[in-house]
PDB file of all heavy atoms in Angstrom:
ATOM      1  N   ILE A 292      -3.507 107.197 -89.257  1.00  0.00           N
ATOM      2  CA  ILE A 292      -4.967 107.283 -89.237  1.00  0.00           C
ATOM      3  C   ILE A 292      -5.395 107.623 -90.655  1.00  0.00           C
ATOM      4  O   ILE A 292      -5.174 108.743 -91.121  1.00  0.00           O
ATOM      5  CB  ILE A 292      -5.471 108.339 -88.232  1.00  0.00           C
ATOM      6  CG1 ILE A 292      -4.991 107.993 -86.817  1.00  0.00           C
ATOM      7  CG2 ILE A 292      -6.980 108.455 -88.306  1.00  0.00           C
ATOM      8  CD1 ILE A 292      -5.297 109.029 -85.776  1.00  0.00           C
ATOM      9  N   ALA A 307       7.635 121.530 -86.422  1.00  0.00           N
ATOM     10  CA  ALA A 307       6.608 122.153 -85.578  1.00  0.00           C
ATOM     11  C   ALA A 307       6.819 123.661 -85.528  1.00  0.00           C
ATOM     12  O   ALA A 307       5.863 124.443 -85.651  1.00  0.00           O
ATOM     13  CB  ALA A 307       6.634 121.542 -84.178  1.00  0.00           C
ATOM     14  N   SER A 319      -1.839 136.529 -87.924  1.00  0.00           N
ATOM     15  CA  SER A 319      -1.511 137.843 -87.344  1.00  0.00           C
ATOM     16  C   SER A 319      -2.125 139.020 -88.093  1.00  0.00           C
ATOM     17  O   SER A 319      -2.658 139.942 -87.458  1.00  0.00           O
ATOM     18  CB  SER A 319       0.000 138.010 -87.230  1.00  0.00           C
ATOM     19  OG  SER A 319       0.510 137.111 -86.279  1.00  0.00           O
ATOM     20  N   ARG A 321      -4.864 139.298 -89.529  1.00  0.00           N
ATOM     21  CA  ARG A 321      -6.309 139.404 -89.256  1.00  0.00           C
ATOM     22  C   ARG A 321      -6.588 140.255 -88.015  1.00  0.00           C
ATOM     23  O   ARG A 321      -7.672 140.814 -87.883  1.00  0.00           O
ATOM     24  CB  ARG A 321      -6.919 138.017 -89.047  1.00  0.00           C
ATOM     25  CG  ARG A 321      -6.835 137.123 -90.251  1.00  0.00           C
ATOM     26  CD  ARG A 321      -7.530 135.815 -89.982  1.00  0.00           C
ATOM     27  NE  ARG A 321      -7.287 134.828 -91.019  1.00  0.00           N
ATOM     28  CZ  ARG A 321      -7.943 133.698 -91.136  1.00  0.00           C
ATOM     29  NH1 ARG A 321      -8.898 133.396 -90.275  1.00  0.00           N
ATOM     30  NH2 ARG A 321      -7.648 132.858 -92.108  1.00  0.00           N
ATOM     31  N   TYR A 322      -5.619 140.295 -87.106  1.00  0.00           N
ATOM     32  CA  TYR A 322      -5.815 140.993 -85.833  1.00  0.00           C
ATOM     33  C   TYR A 322      -4.987 142.269 -85.719  1.00  0.00           C
ATOM     34  O   TYR A 322      -5.002 142.912 -84.670  1.00  0.00           O
ATOM     35  CB  TYR A 322      -5.494 140.042 -84.667  1.00  0.00           C
ATOM     36  CG  TYR A 322      -6.464 138.890 -84.620  1.00  0.00           C
ATOM     37  CD1 TYR A 322      -6.149 137.664 -85.191  1.00  0.00           C
ATOM     38  CD2 TYR A 322      -7.716 139.044 -84.031  1.00  0.00           C
ATOM     39  CE1 TYR A 322      -7.053 136.614 -85.175  1.00  0.00           C
ATOM     40  CE2 TYR A 322      -8.627 137.993 -84.010  1.00  0.00           C
ATOM     41  CZ  TYR A 322      -8.282 136.779 -84.583  1.00  0.00           C
ATOM     42  OH  TYR A 322      -9.180 135.745 -84.568  1.00  0.00           O
ATOM     43  N   ARG A 334      -0.962 146.269 -75.001  1.00  0.00           N
ATOM     44  CA  ARG A 334      -0.311 145.360 -75.957  1.00  0.00           C
ATOM     45  C   ARG A 334       0.750 144.511 -75.258  1.00  0.00           C
ATOM     46  O   ARG A 334       0.872 143.322 -75.526  1.00  0.00           O
ATOM     47  CB  ARG A 334       0.293 146.142 -77.129  1.00  0.00           C
ATOM     48  CG  ARG A 334      -0.728 146.456 -78.209  1.00  0.00           C
ATOM     49  CD  ARG A 334      -0.071 146.906 -79.508  1.00  0.00           C
ATOM     50  NE  ARG A 334       0.629 148.165 -79.370  1.00  0.00           N
ATOM     51  CZ  ARG A 334       0.074 149.374 -79.482  1.00  0.00           C
ATOM     52  NH1 ARG A 334      -1.216 149.478 -79.755  1.00  0.00           N
ATOM     53  NH2 ARG A 334       0.789 150.465 -79.344  1.00  0.00           N
ATOM     54  N   LEU A 336       0.765 143.663 -72.068  1.00  0.00           N
ATOM     55  CA  LEU A 336       0.046 142.696 -71.226  1.00  0.00           C
ATOM     56  C   LEU A 336      -0.527 141.560 -72.071  1.00  0.00           C
ATOM     57  O   LEU A 336      -0.472 140.388 -71.678  1.00  0.00           O
ATOM     58  CB  LEU A 336      -1.069 143.392 -70.440  1.00  0.00           C
ATOM     59  CG  LEU A 336      -0.608 144.334 -69.330  1.00  0.00           C
ATOM     60  CD1 LEU A 336      -1.774 145.163 -68.813  1.00  0.00           C
ATOM     61  CD2 LEU A 336       0.052 143.550 -68.198  1.00  0.00           C
ATOM     62  N   THR A 347       5.088 124.090 -70.350  1.00  0.00           N
ATOM     63  CA  THR A 347       3.695 123.723 -70.083  1.00  0.00           C
ATOM     64  C   THR A 347       3.079 122.868 -71.186  1.00  0.00           C
ATOM     65  O   THR A 347       1.961 122.377 -71.032  1.00  0.00           O
ATOM     66  CB  THR A 347       2.822 124.986 -69.892  1.00  0.00           C
ATOM     67  OG1 THR A 347       2.808 125.739 -71.114  1.00  0.00           O
ATOM     68  CG2 THR A 347       3.335 125.841 -68.745  1.00  0.00           C
ATOM     69  N   GLU A 375      -5.396 122.482 -72.390  1.00  0.00           N
ATOM     70  CA  GLU A 375      -5.834 123.454 -73.377  1.00  0.00           C
ATOM     71  C   GLU A 375      -5.249 123.110 -74.745  1.00  0.00           C
ATOM     72  O   GLU A 375      -4.056 122.851 -74.874  1.00  0.00           O
ATOM     73  CB  GLU A 375      -5.372 124.857 -72.966  1.00  0.00           C
ATOM     74  CG  GLU A 375      -5.811 125.923 -73.936  1.00  0.00           C
ATOM     75  CD  GLU A 375      -5.236 127.298 -73.614  1.00  0.00           C
ATOM     76  OE1 GLU A 375      -4.099 127.380 -73.082  1.00  0.00           O
ATOM     77  OE2 GLU A 375      -5.917 128.283 -73.928  1.00  0.00           O
ATOM     78  N   ARG A 400      -7.914 112.051 -77.845  1.00  0.00           N
ATOM     79  CA  ARG A 400      -7.454 110.747 -77.352  1.00  0.00           C
ATOM     80  C   ARG A 400      -6.365 110.933 -76.300  1.00  0.00           C
ATOM     81  O   ARG A 400      -6.404 110.315 -75.229  1.00  0.00           O
ATOM     82  CB  ARG A 400      -6.934 109.894 -78.519  1.00  0.00           C
ATOM     83  CG  ARG A 400      -6.556 108.468 -78.100  1.00  0.00           C
ATOM     84  CD  ARG A 400      -5.806 107.725 -79.189  1.00  0.00           C
ATOM     85  NE  ARG A 400      -4.452 108.217 -79.376  1.00  0.00           N
ATOM     86  CZ  ARG A 400      -3.430 107.980 -78.529  1.00  0.00           C
ATOM     87  NH1 ARG A 400      -3.617 107.269 -77.444  1.00  0.00           N
ATOM     88  NH2 ARG A 400      -2.229 108.472 -78.783  1.00  0.00           N
ATOM     89  N   ARG A 403      -7.886 112.218 -73.047  1.00  0.00           N
ATOM     90  CA  ARG A 403      -8.516 111.120 -72.278  1.00  0.00           C
ATOM     91  C   ARG A 403      -7.446 110.271 -71.602  1.00  0.00           C
ATOM     92  O   ARG A 403      -7.584 109.889 -70.445  1.00  0.00           O
ATOM     93  CB  ARG A 403      -9.363 110.259 -73.199  1.00  0.00           C
ATOM     94  CG  ARG A 403     -10.687 110.845 -73.567  1.00  0.00           C
ATOM     95  CD  ARG A 403     -11.534 109.842 -74.384  1.00  0.00           C
ATOM     96  NE  ARG A 403     -12.648 110.541 -74.981  1.00  0.00           N
ATOM     97  CZ  ARG A 403     -12.652 111.060 -76.210  1.00  0.00           C
ATOM     98  NH1 ARG A 403     -11.594 110.946 -76.980  1.00  0.00           N
ATOM     99  NH2 ARG A 403     -13.722 111.680 -76.662  1.00  0.00           N
ATOM    100  N   GLY A 415      -9.992 133.198 -82.012  1.00  0.00           N
ATOM    101  CA  GLY A 415     -10.434 134.574 -82.142  1.00  0.00           C
ATOM    102  C   GLY A 415     -11.607 134.718 -83.074  1.00  0.00           C
ATOM    103  O   GLY A 415     -11.870 133.860 -83.914  1.00  0.00           O
ATOM    104  N   ARG A 417     -11.946 136.451 -85.574  1.00  0.00           N
ATOM    105  CA  ARG A 417     -11.571 136.635 -86.977  1.00  0.00           C
ATOM    106  C   ARG A 417     -11.031 135.345 -87.590  1.00  0.00           C
ATOM    107  O   ARG A 417     -10.329 135.386 -88.596  1.00  0.00           O
ATOM    108  CB  ARG A 417     -10.560 137.778 -87.099  1.00  0.00           C
ATOM    109  CG  ARG A 417     -11.204 139.097 -86.702  1.00  0.00           C
ATOM    110  CD  ARG A 417     -10.287 140.250 -86.813  1.00  0.00           C
ATOM    111  NE  ARG A 417     -11.042 141.467 -86.469  1.00  0.00           N
ATOM    112  CZ  ARG A 417     -10.758 142.649 -86.918  1.00  0.00           C
ATOM    113  NH1 ARG A 417      -9.741 142.818 -87.740  1.00  0.00           N
ATOM    114  NH2 ARG A 417     -11.463 143.691 -86.552  1.00  0.00           N
ATOM    115  N   LEU A 428     -16.953 119.668 -84.573  1.00  0.00           N
ATOM    116  CA  LEU A 428     -16.384 118.552 -83.817  1.00  0.00           C
ATOM    117  C   LEU A 428     -16.971 118.405 -82.416  1.00  0.00           C
ATOM    118  O   LEU A 428     -16.505 117.584 -81.639  1.00  0.00           O
ATOM    119  CB  LEU A 428     -14.857 118.711 -83.728  1.00  0.00           C
ATOM    120  CG  LEU A 428     -14.119 118.621 -85.063  1.00  0.00           C
ATOM    121  CD1 LEU A 428     -12.634 118.874 -84.862  1.00  0.00           C
ATOM    122  CD2 LEU A 428     -14.354 117.277 -85.735  1.00  0.00           C
ATOM    123  N   PRO A 437      -9.111 132.923 -68.170  1.00  0.00           N
ATOM    124  CA  PRO A 437      -7.741 133.431 -68.084  1.00  0.00           C
ATOM    125  C   PRO A 437      -6.795 132.493 -68.819  1.00  0.00           C
ATOM    126  O   PRO A 437      -7.005 131.288 -68.780  1.00  0.00           O
ATOM    127  CB  PRO A 437      -7.441 133.428 -66.582  1.00  0.00           C
ATOM    128  CG  PRO A 437      -8.784 133.343 -65.910  1.00  0.00           C
ATOM    129  CD  PRO A 437      -9.697 132.638 -66.877  1.00  0.00           C
ATOM    130  N   ARG A 441      -8.417 139.844 -71.209  1.00  0.00           N
ATOM    131  CA  ARG A 441      -8.173 141.196 -71.715  1.00  0.00           C
ATOM    132  C   ARG A 441      -8.428 141.329 -73.212  1.00  0.00           C
ATOM    133  O   ARG A 441      -8.428 142.444 -73.735  1.00  0.00           O
ATOM    134  CB  ARG A 441      -6.712 141.589 -71.464  1.00  0.00           C
ATOM    135  CG  ARG A 441      -6.433 142.117 -70.095  1.00  0.00           C
ATOM    136  CD  ARG A 441      -4.991 142.609 -70.060  1.00  0.00           C
ATOM    137  NE  ARG A 441      -4.119 141.563 -69.596  1.00  0.00           N
ATOM    138  CZ  ARG A 441      -3.654 141.482 -68.359  1.00  0.00           C
ATOM    139  NH1 ARG A 441      -3.972 142.409 -67.482  1.00  0.00           N
ATOM    140  NH2 ARG A 441      -2.873 140.496 -68.003  1.00  0.00           N
ATOM    141  N   ALA A 444     -11.718 139.921 -78.457  1.00  0.00           N
ATOM    142  CA  ALA A 444     -11.957 139.138 -79.673  1.00  0.00           C
ATOM    143  C   ALA A 444     -11.858 137.638 -79.416  1.00  0.00           C
ATOM    144  O   ALA A 444     -12.096 136.837 -80.323  1.00  0.00           O
ATOM    145  CB  ALA A 444     -10.965 139.544 -80.762  1.00  0.00           C
TER     146      ALA A 444
END
Side-chain angles (χ1 to χ4, degrees):
I292 301 174
S319 293
R321 297 183 190 192
Y322 295 97
R334 277 195 295 275
L336 290 169
T347 64
E375 181 186 32
R400 185 191 72 74
R403 283 186 193 94
R417 295 181 177 207
L428 295 177
R441 277 187 267 260

